[in-house]
């Protein structure tokens, strides 16, 4: 008993820390593949040991206690990360950058301007086809024209849009 009281927690832990901190961090880093997390775990193990120093039966086994604490805390952290990964939301699609959004808006504006140059029936067919996502039959029913007329208007509109957009690109 007299031996335990002479073994001061601050002095003992300072000695163990100085001698073994780096090797304990390496141990944790090898288990976690994350040096920062390993450093936190080792620090937490030292803090916990300091708080329980008076309960340690054999102060000479402090290093073994710390190794066990580091391994157990690393395993606990790994289990926690598995659970966190399991409950992460599915990855969201990448958002376009501000530049991409501006370019897309500019391109959309060019297409809208080009659409305004089309005759009404051609413009209506293109809007119903690409914006309304209607089939040729649905467009024909909606406009009261034949499917052949829908195909014809779509072909002419596509050709006209291509020409107008190519001209605006070269300007």
């Amino acid at each position: 008993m007299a031996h335990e009281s002479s073994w001061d927690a601050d002095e003992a832990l300072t000695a163990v820390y100085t001698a073994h901190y780096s090797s304990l961090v390496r141990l944790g880093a090898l288990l976690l593949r994350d040096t920062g997390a390993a450093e936190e775990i080792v620090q937490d193990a030292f803090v916990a040991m300091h708080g329980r120093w008076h309960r340690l039966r054999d102060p000479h086994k402090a290093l073994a206690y710390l190794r066990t604490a580091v391994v157990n805390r690393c395993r606990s952290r790994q289990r926690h990360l598995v659970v966190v990964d399991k409950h992460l939301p599915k990855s969201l699609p990448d958002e376009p950058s501000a530049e991409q959004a501006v370019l897309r808006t500019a391109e959309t504006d060019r297409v809208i301007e080009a659409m305004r140059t089309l005759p009404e029936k051609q413009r209506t067919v293109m809007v119903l086809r690409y914006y309304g996502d209607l089939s040729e039959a649905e467009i024909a029913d909606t406009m009261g024209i034949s499917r052949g007329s829908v195909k014809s208007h779509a072909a002419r509109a596509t050709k006209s849009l291509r020409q107008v957009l190519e001209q605006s690109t070269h300007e």
Side-chain angles (χ1 to χ4, degrees), residues 24-46:
L24 290 170
V25 169
R26 274 193 305 275
L27 171 65
L30 287 170
L31 293 172
L32 293 175
R33 297 185 188 115
D34 182 349
T35 304
E39 289 173 342
E40 288 179 33
I41 285 173
V42 171
Q43 290 291 337
D44 290 346
F46 272 100

Side-chain angles (χ1 to χ4, degrees), residues 76-98:
S76 177
R77 171 113 174 143
Q78 288 170 325
R79 284 190 301 271
H80 171 75
L81 292 175
V82 167
V83 171
V84 167
D85 285 346
K86 194 182 290 186
H87 295 290
L88 279 177
K90 302 296 180 218
S91 63
L92 298 174
D94 290 337
E95 289 294 318
S97 67

